[in-house]
Amino acid sequence: MTMLTTPKVPIQNQFAADVRAGLTRAGQKELPSKYLYDNLGSALFDAITLLPEYGLTRADERLLQRHARDIATHIPAKVMVSELGSGSGRKTRYILNALRVHGPLSYYPIEISSAALATCEAELCDIESVSIVGVESEYLSGLTEVAKRREADTHLFVLFLGSTIGNFDAGADAKFLREVRNILRPGDSLLLGTDLLKPIEKLIDAYDDPRGVTAAFNLNLLGRINRELGGEFDLRRFEHIARFNEATNSVEMHLRSKRVQTVNIKACDCSIDFTAGETIWTESSHKYAPESIEQLASASGFALKAQWTDDRWPFANSLFVAV
Ligand code: AVJ
C-alpha cells in the first residue's frame, strides 16, 4: 500500500486538550466520540457489529452486497474512490468489485489510525485492478489531499458509510457535508449511509446490549484516558447508559458516576468532581427520518440521485451528486 500523509497536530496534545475542555465545562460534561476508537475500542466496536441486537452494520452490508452493481451504474468508468473512515474494509469490497469491471481504479481510504489502514489494506489488497493508497489523516484534510491528485477527466466518488454521519451534533451533519461538497467538483458523488428511525425499544437494545459489549466500549474511553493521559478513573465507579433523546432523534450514550467522587487526570493537569448520578455524554447517534435525507442533500450542496433501503433494519444508503 502506498501512503499519503498530511501535517497534523500531535494527537496526544489534542486528546488532552479535548478531555480537559469537555470535563471542566459548566453543565453537561462531555467527551468527543471519536476518542472511543483506540485499538481496544475499535476491537470492541467490531464485536458490537456482531451482536444480534445491533442490526445496523448487517443492514448496511446487505444493501451494499445486493445493490453494488446498481450503485456502480451511476458512476463513470474513470473514477477515483475515497472513503471517510475505512473501518475494516469489509463492506467496501462489494463496491470496489462492482466498479473495477469498468477498468482499473485507485482507492484512497482516509483514517486517523494507521492500524485501521493496515487492516483495511489486508482485507482488500487481493482485489485485482484496484490500487490502494492509504491516507493517514483527518477526513477533510485527507480528502483535500486526495482531490489534489485527481486528473481533469476523473470522477471522484466518496464513501461515507455505516451512519458515522449520525455522530455529528444537530446541524453539524449538514455543515460537514457542505465542507465535503466544497472539496468536490459538480457531478462528483457521495454514497452516504444513514441509520433510520425505528422503535425506541429496538434502539435501546442496540445501544445497551444484554452482554454488556457496548458498556465495555463506552467505559473503555475512561480506560483510554487512564492509559494515555495518566487519568485515575476507577471504571467500576461508572456505568454505561443509553437513552433516546426525542428532541434530537438521537440515541445518547453516557457514563454515569455511581457516587460522589473526584478524579485526577495528570496530563490535563486537572481534577474533576462528580456528583452521584452525574453523567459524561460520550456519543450521539442520530436516527434519520426517511424524508430528512433529501433535505440533508440539498442543505449541503448535493442532489439525491438514488437510494437503497433495508426493510429488516431501517437503514438507507443514498447516492448524492454534487450540484
Ligand atoms: C460506528 C458511529 C455508526 O453510532 O451506531 C455503536 C457507534 N456506538 N454502538 C453508531 C456505536 C455504540 C456507531 N457508529
Side-chain angles (χ1 to χ4, degrees):
M1 172 169 65
T2 326
M3 286 287 292
L4 256 178
T5 44
T6 56
K8 53 187 171 198
V9 185
I11 176 95
Q12 224 46 17
N13 302 349
Q14 190 60 52
F15 184 32
D18 289 346
V19 167
R20 191 188 155 89
L23 296 184
T24 57
R25 69 195 293 281
Q28 175 70 61
K29 293 178 168 65
E30 59 185 47
L31 290 168
S33 61
K34 66 176 177 183
Y35 294 117
L36 289 163
Y37 301 90
D38 63 347
N39 287 344
L40 179 53
S42 298
L44 288 166
F45 175 69
D46 286 343
I48 288 174
T49 67
L50 302 175
L51 294 170
E53 296 82 11
Y54 190 80
L56 189 156
T57 308
R58 282 184 297 277
D60 191 11
E61 194 163 345
R62 272 196 298 277
L63 286 170
L64 296 176
Q65 181 167 23
R66 271 186 208 158
H67 303 293
R69 285 174 55 187
D70 189 11
I71 294 169
T73 62
H74 294 272
I75 307 296
K78 268 210 107 183
V79 63
M80 206 157 119
V81 181
S82 185
E83 182 166 13
L84 308 179
S86 59
S88 75
R90 247 185 48 206
K91 294 177 289 184
T92 314
R93 170 176 291 272
Y94 302 114
I95 301 285
L96 295 178
N97 262 326
L99 288 172
R100 77 192 172 94
V101 301
H102 303 302
L105 58 101
S106 43
Y107 168 58
Y108 296 79
I110 303 171
E111 272 287 349
I112 21 174
S113 128
S114 57
L117 279 176
T119 318
C120 168
E121 139 100 329
E123 177 77 26
L124 300 171
C125 64
D126 65 312
I127 309 182
E128 242 174 84
S129 59
V130 175
S131 58
I132 306 180
V133 185
V135 186
E136 191 179 339
S137 168
E138 298 276 335
Y139 293 157
L140 294 172
S141 49
L143 191 60
T144 303
E145 212 50 47
V146 171
K148 274 190 206 154
R149 307 185 123 217
R150 167 254 289 269
E151 288 160 39
D153 61 345
T154 305
H155 180 93
L156 183 51
F157 182 26
V158 180
L159 310 176
F160 195 23
L161 304 176
S163 204
T164 303
I165 187 71
N167 290 158
F168 289 83
D169 292 342
D173 51 1
K175 187 172 169 279
F176 176 76
L177 293 182
R178 163 70 65 184
E179 295 186 76
V180 169
R181 163 64 192 90
N182 290 341
I183 301 170
L184 305 181
R185 292 197 201 126
D188 284 340
S189 34
L190 167 73
L191 187 66
L192 181 71
T194 47
D195 201 19
L196 301 178
L197 276 171
K198 49 186 67 63
I200 294 177
E201 318 77 69
K202 269 197 120 174
L203 287 171
I204 298 303
D205 275 353
Y207 289 84
D208 191 7
D209 63 278
R211 290 171 185 78
V213 182
T214 309
F217 171 67
N218 197 7
L219 284 162
N220 175 57
L221 184 46
L222 302 183
R224 180 176 184 181
I225 294 171
N226 289 351
R227 287 189 298 276
E228 297 183 19
L229 302 179
E232 293 173 356
F233 284 100
D234 179 347
L235 273 55
R236 290 189 178 77
R237 294 185 180 174
F238 288 83
E239 63 191 347
H240 163 72
I241 54 174
R243 60 182 182 223
F244 189 70
N245 182 331
E246 301 201 31
T248 59
N249 278 351
S250 309
V251 180
E252 293 181 359
M253 295 204 308
H254 292 251
L255 290 163
R256 180 160 57 199
S257 173
K258 293 183 186 172
R259 46 141 110 179
V260 175
Q261 55 182 320
T262 299
V263 179
N264 300 314
I265 309 172
K266 290 194 193 80
C268 300
D269 201 22
C270 63
S271 63
I272 313 293
D273 295 324
F274 292 91
T275 59
E278 182 177 7
T279 73
I280 308 170
W281 177 25
T282 54
E283 186 184 58
S284 279
S285 197
H286 184 73
K287 304 303 162 190
Y288 290 84
E291 329 73 77
S292 68
I293 295 171
E294 186 150 24
Q295 293 161 21
L296 183 61
S298 55
S300 51
F302 290 96
L304 177 62
K305 190 172 182 202
Q307 189 171 66
W308 299 267
T309 54
D310 191 75
D311 37 21
R312 271 200 270 165
W313 178 277
F315 188 95
N317 274 322
S318 307
L319 188 68
F320 286 11
V321 176
V323 289

